[in-house]
Amino acid sequence: MSTAVVVRAPGEHRLVPHTPREPGPGEALVAVHAVGVCGSDREVYQGNRPEGYVRYPLTPGHEWSGTVRAVGAGVPGHLIGRKVVGEGFRNCQVCDRCHAGQTTLCTAGYEETGFTRPGAMAGTLTLPARLLHVLPDGADLSAAALLEPAACIAAAVLKAGARPGERVAVVGTGTLGMFAVQFLKALSPAELLVVGVHDEREALSRRFGATDFRTKDDPALPDGFDAVVETAGSADAARTAAALPRRGGRLVLTGIPAPGAEGLDPTDLVVRQLEVHTVFGAPPDAWAHTVRVFAAGLLDPLPLVTHELPLTEFARAVELAGSGDPGVGKVLLRP
């Protein structure tokens, strides 16, 4: 029998026996291969995730990959045995925003795998089959476990509307920032700048396609970029990112700073006529784009993985993910 992580309350977790839940109509049962640990999982464990965005007791895990083992009534049988990843947002499919394809804005309220519904830190995960995205048979499932954060950044890059030959920039050098570099590189930019806090990620940034790397305090930080994607999640990073676009340029913010953080200067945004977008989660088109780019070999998540641990080391994985150690990248748990 396999096990599952259950966070009973903030700071309190245990490993419990896990029994797979048979899929009902429209559902699929997935054997989990790997599950990523990110900052939001740390929020769940520490108890500082915003009210309404977590429901205890909870099995976390929203970044995952696996193989379909069974399907319920109404689900095509050919899915059985296929490698998959899956969307987290449990949208209603009938509201105005869902019909527009903006499932992360579903007006029925927030529900997401690993936060308000059981997640993938278990031997199996049962979820609506409509949320699955099928991977090539030869896909590396450890790499594919990172496609959820990649899809969130794909949503940002799609909103940035970068075109071949444009000057583009990424602020932030974590997992999200490195995915942004890869997505933008695939669009053949004339210039691709990465801005970080320190220079320890310069080599990896250039490996993924950056043509220039600067730290945020560089007095000669260039500007005049057509499109800029911020991934760092701090008010300081947002202000740095807002200074980079040309007049009329495009800025996409993906990070969520701490409450009460000093914001951007609205006068500056208006006078420079910046086109500003924000992203929270990934709608279906971003997921589909991510899987296509991954299948085409244009997205390489594995260099971002620094630790793979058994599910029994959940607490250590959370500690590593929040350590701030530049030597710690993505941490994966293996059921």
Side-chain angles (χ1 to χ4, degrees):
M1 179 178 290
S2 64
T3 58
V5 172
V6 174
V7 179
R8 300 178 61 85
E12 179 187 345
H13 85 282
R14 64 179 58 179
L15 287 168
V16 302
H18 172 72
T19 300
R21 181 173 72 78
E22 290 301 313
E27 292 185 323
L29 171 68
V30 177
V32 177
H33 174 84
V35 55
V37 180
C38 84
S40 53
D41 296 307
R42 189 163 173 259
E43 290 176 350
V44 167
Y45 189 51
Q46 293 181 334
N48 50 15
R49 188 161 172 83
E51 185 178 356
Y53 288 86
V54 64
R55 189 179 300 136
Y56 300 101
L58 172 70
T59 294
H62 61 287
E63 304 177 3
W64 59 269
S65 64
T67 304
V68 177
R69 292 299 183 218
V71 296
V75 179
H78 63 72
L79 279 178
I80 296 174
R82 298 302 304 271
K83 295 177 178 180
V84 294
V85 290
E87 299 177 33
F89 281 78
R90 304 294 187 92
N91 51 83
C92 75
Q93 293 189 289
V94 296
C95 72
D96 175 70
R97 291 301 88 204
C98 283
H99 281 308
Q102 297 175 325
T103 54
T104 59
L105 298 176
C106 177
T107 59
Y110 173 77
E111 295 284 349
E112 186 176 2
T113 299
F115 297 107
T116 63
R117 301 289 185 93
M121 291 187 187
T124 68
L125 174 65
T126 302
L127 75 167
R130 61 182 172 80
L131 299 178
L132 298 179
H133 290 261
V134 177
L135 303 171
D137 291 339
D140 185 317
L141 284 177
S142 293
L146 277 68
L147 293 187
E148 191 277 341
C152 294
I153 286 302
V157 171
L158 290 171
K159 284 192 174 184
R163 303 172 184 87
E166 287 192 323
R167 300 178 68 226
V168 298
V170 174
V171 177
T173 58
T175 298
L176 299 182
M178 294 300 95
F179 277 133
V181 173
Q182 294 184 64
F183 278 119
L184 289 168
K185 173 61 177 177
L187 298 172
S188 301
E191 182 180 343
L192 174 47
L193 168 70
V194 175
V195 180
V197 176
H198 307 293
D199 60 7
E200 75 279 348
R201 289 283 227 178
E202 179 174 1
L204 190 58
S205 298
R206 291 187 182 276
R207 173 178 170 181
F208 285 145
T211 59
D212 192 8
F213 184 97
R214 305 290 183 95
T215 58
K216 67 180 183 65
D217 296 321
D218 187 331
L221 198 63
D223 57 14
F225 290 87
D226 298 289
V228 179
V229 178
E230 177 274 325
T231 69
S234 71
D236 189 40
R239 287 190 292 272
T240 297
L244 297 178
R246 61 169 170 78
R247 288 176 56 86
R250 305 177 301 278
L251 171 66
V252 186
L253 305 175
T254 70
I256 304 177
E262 182 181 347
L264 303 178
D265 179 358
T267 301
D268 176 60
L269 299 179
V270 172
V271 170
R272 292 168 58 213
Q273 299 184 61
L274 295 188
E275 185 179 319
V276 182
H277 297 276
T278 60
V279 166
F280 176 64
D285 65 334
W287 272 96
H289 180 67
T290 299
V291 171
R292 282 195 303 270
V293 173
F294 177 66
L298 299 173
L299 198 64
D300 185 11
L302 276 182
L304 302 175
V305 178
T306 58
H307 296 75
E308 291 193 50
L309 304 173
L311 203 59
T312 52
E313 295 196 45
F314 166 75
R316 179 171 174 243
V318 170
E319 182 180 354
L320 281 169
S323 67
D325 183 344
V328 176
K330 175 57 67 174
V331 179
L332 294 183
L333 289 173
R334 298 288 297 273

